[in-house]
Amino acid sequence: MAKNIAEQIVEMLENANVKRIYAVTGDSLNHLNMAVRKSSIEWIHVRHEEVGAFAAAAEAELDGFAVCAGSCGPGHIHLINGVYEAHRSHLPMLVIASTIPSEEMGTDYFQETNTIKLFDDCSHYNQMITRPEQVQRIMQTAIQHAISKKGVSVIGLPGDVSELEAEEAVTANKVFHTNPVIRPSDEELQQLADLINEHKKVTLYCGIGAQHANAEVIELSKHLKAPVGYSFRGKMAIQANNPNEVGLTGLLGLPSAYHAMHEADLLVLLGTDFPYQKFMPVKNKIVQVDESAERLGRRAKLDLGLTGDVKETIRALMPLLKEKTDVNFLSQQLEFYEKVKEDQMIYVKDPGSENAIQPEFVTHTLDKLAKHDAIFTVDTGMCCVWGARYITGTGQRKMLGSFNHGSMANAMPMAIGAALAHKDKQVIALCGDGGLSMLLGDMATIFQYKLPVKLIVFNNRSLGMVKLEMEVAGMPDNETDMVNPDFAMLAQVMGYPGKNVHRPDEVEAAIKECLEYDGPFLLNVFTNPNALALPPKIEANQVLGMTKAMTQLMLGGKMEEVLDTVKSNYKHVKDLL
């Protein structure tokens, strides 16, 4: 019997080494589902398509390519949040958006959408298959676009087309993973070397684009006596074994990296598209090296912008550089960093009280007990802050999050993708209570596939980051509180252990029990709802805004909350004064 188009698509995915498809099956997807059933690919039945897209994004980040699918109308629309995340984070992912029968298109048919318009803003390639002759060429092109351009490709697939008899086309029918050497020209390298050689105080700032250049960055920093800062996405790779690192900057960062960047004569940006312009210096000279030329200069005023892979660029640059001997600037920045780290430990040494456990203490304890090569996922919001500041990069650990798109509820779905793709790794999700609540149903997916995911819920009974945003803007927080279910009991209902942690003295034993358990486990930690985290650069209007908000809370009769906020954040408050 001749194979149909759905079977031909699955065959091509097998040739591309795809291991699984994340989806919720449905009428227009059923032929693809049946084709997967007869293949080596696993169909991962998530409860919500958004979870499938986030899970695929995690797998794509870890392994280089992944696939998710959605049935017609609401099915593929549910994918879009995770698809945006993958595309904005430059993760190679294929989306199969099945849709209504082709003869019904344009008639306002049940569940009709225009997949081309829908996914156009979050893809590099976006086409509809309507005839058998197109299938192999479109699939080949889509996969090649996702891998080479590092982003999303979308295939629109009408349900009736899936069951048509397949035709063979003259195409490569295999994936080409190319690895070109990209670096600036000799003339450009000499310009960069001249700039570095003529400036005494140099700071390096690294992003995810430098993740494969840890050794080269360390060698360069030692040669230049330069402190090394990094973005959140760059932390896990750049922090490891780096004697000159001074932490990260940005909204979640530390004053030390901000200080090193602003005190330098020359700032060298390596593989970073760091989005927060206000944290960039404006008085010193800045150079940027990035694989994508279109990113040069859009975040800072550059004196020199170069296109190149960070590792290859540093290797070619090193022979042109004079070794610096003055260590004063580096020593000052490292000394300041030690003070910043000491200040960060204040919240660890004071672990909080019953039902108000300091989240910093929880994360620091988790950092000590987690494996050297654990994969962490973090929800957007305060969990990102605690992960950024208290989870240590070892060079083997990974940390995944919605760092560019900034979506709520990503940690648990990404943990699903990470656990399926790397069954030998310890996978730990730092979940906000708001994030976990949003996609709660897929806790059942964890049980269904027996995934040993560890869910650490930072249950502060509020939308913590939103609360902070409102307060620094001078608004008393409104409708940020959450009345939560018993997450530990919900885990038990789902089929695996759940435990509530109310007191600081329970934290370490509970985390050990969670991490050592052979299977999924949920810890519901009652953290301090008034624990805040202010950025390394605190502006006068933020001080004024916080003061206004606290005053309005007092006038509204919430004096107890104001006092608790001050007590919970005395280090931040001291910095504001």
Side-chain angles (χ1 to χ4, degrees), residues 506-551:
E506 300 171 335
V507 168
E508 184 163 351
I511 291 177
K512 280 184 180 178
E513 181 184 359
C514 173
L515 297 182
E516 291 172 2
Y517 182 76
D518 185 16
F521 198 112
L522 182 145
L523 273 190
N524 183 30
V525 186
F526 286 76
T527 57
N528 187 348
N530 293 311
L532 305 178
L534 295 179
K537 179 190 178 187
I538 302 170
E539 297 178 342
N541 64 335
Q542 292 176 310
V543 180
L544 181 60
M546 183 69 78
T547 305
K548 285 180 179 178
M550 293 296 105
T551 302

Side-chain angles (χ1 to χ4, degrees), residues 405-475:
H405 189 46
S407 173
M408 279 182 67
N410 62 282
M412 183 261 288
M414 286 182 165
I416 289 173
L420 282 162
H422 290 269
K423 295 178 180 178
D424 58 325
K425 299 289 186 184
Q426 187 180 66
V427 178
I428 304 167
L430 280 64
C431 301
D433 51 339
L436 187 65
S437 297
M438 189 175 280
L439 293 171
L440 201 60
D442 273 271
M443 284 176 61
T445 303
I446 292 172
F447 177 71
Q448 180 167 331
Y449 292 95
K450 302 296 187 289
L451 303 177
V453 170
K454 315 304 180 185
L455 301 173
I456 313 295
V457 184
F458 287 71
N459 188 351
N460 63 1
R461 286 82 74 202
S462 72
L463 300 175
M465 185 65 82
V466 180
K467 179 179 178 179
L468 175 60
E469 289 168 352
M470 294 180 78
E471 288 176 346
V472 298
M475 297 178 279

Side-chain angles (χ1 to χ4, degrees), residues 139-160:
M139 282 293 293
Q140 173 76 25
T141 307
I143 295 171
Q144 213 59 58
H145 267 73
I147 290 170
S148 63
K149 288 183 173 292
K150 297 180 180 178
V152 170
S153 287
V154 180
I155 296 299
L157 182 65
D160 61 313

Side-chain angles (χ1 to χ4, degrees), residues 193-270:
D194 289 344
L195 267 174
I196 293 173
N197 287 335
E198 70 186 44
H199 287 89
K200 292 178 64 175
K201 298 187 294 184
V202 179
T203 292
L204 309 179
Y205 184 75
C206 304
I208 189 67
Q211 65 177 323
H212 301 301
N214 173 275
E216 286 75 16
V217 168
I218 291 173
E219 182 185 7
L220 180 62
S221 72
K222 288 180 177 179
H223 195 73
L224 302 179
K225 310 301 182 287
V228 181
Y230 41 79
S231 68
F232 193 1
R233 290 191 74 197
K235 174 177 178 171
M236 289 293 108
I238 300 301
Q239 184 180 37
N241 309 309
N242 192 336
N244 293 345
E245 62 103 359
V246 292
L248 69 162
T249 191
L251 292 177
L252 314 183
L254 303 174
S256 46
Y258 180 87
H259 189 266
M261 293 168 69
H262 282 72
E263 292 297 312
D265 298 325
L266 177 67
L267 174 62
V268 181
L269 305 175
L270 297 171

Side-chain angles (χ1 to χ4, degrees), residues 366-426:
L366 177 62
D367 182 56
K368 288 192 305 179
L369 297 175
K371 289 185 178 179
H372 194 70
D373 61 350
I375 299 172
F376 297 88
T377 64
V378 291
D379 263 338
T380 298
M382 302 307 284
C383 287
C384 264
V385 179
W386 316 134
R389 294 183 179 178
Y390 292 95
I391 298 296
T392 306
T394 64
Q396 293 178 275
R397 285 177 171 176
K398 299 288 185 181
M399 186 175 289
L400 312 179
S402 185
F403 301 137
N404 290 344
H405 189 46
S407 173
M408 279 182 67
N410 62 282
M412 183 261 288
M414 286 182 165
I416 289 173
L420 282 162
H422 290 269
K423 295 178 180 178
D424 58 325
K425 299 289 186 184
Q426 187 180 66

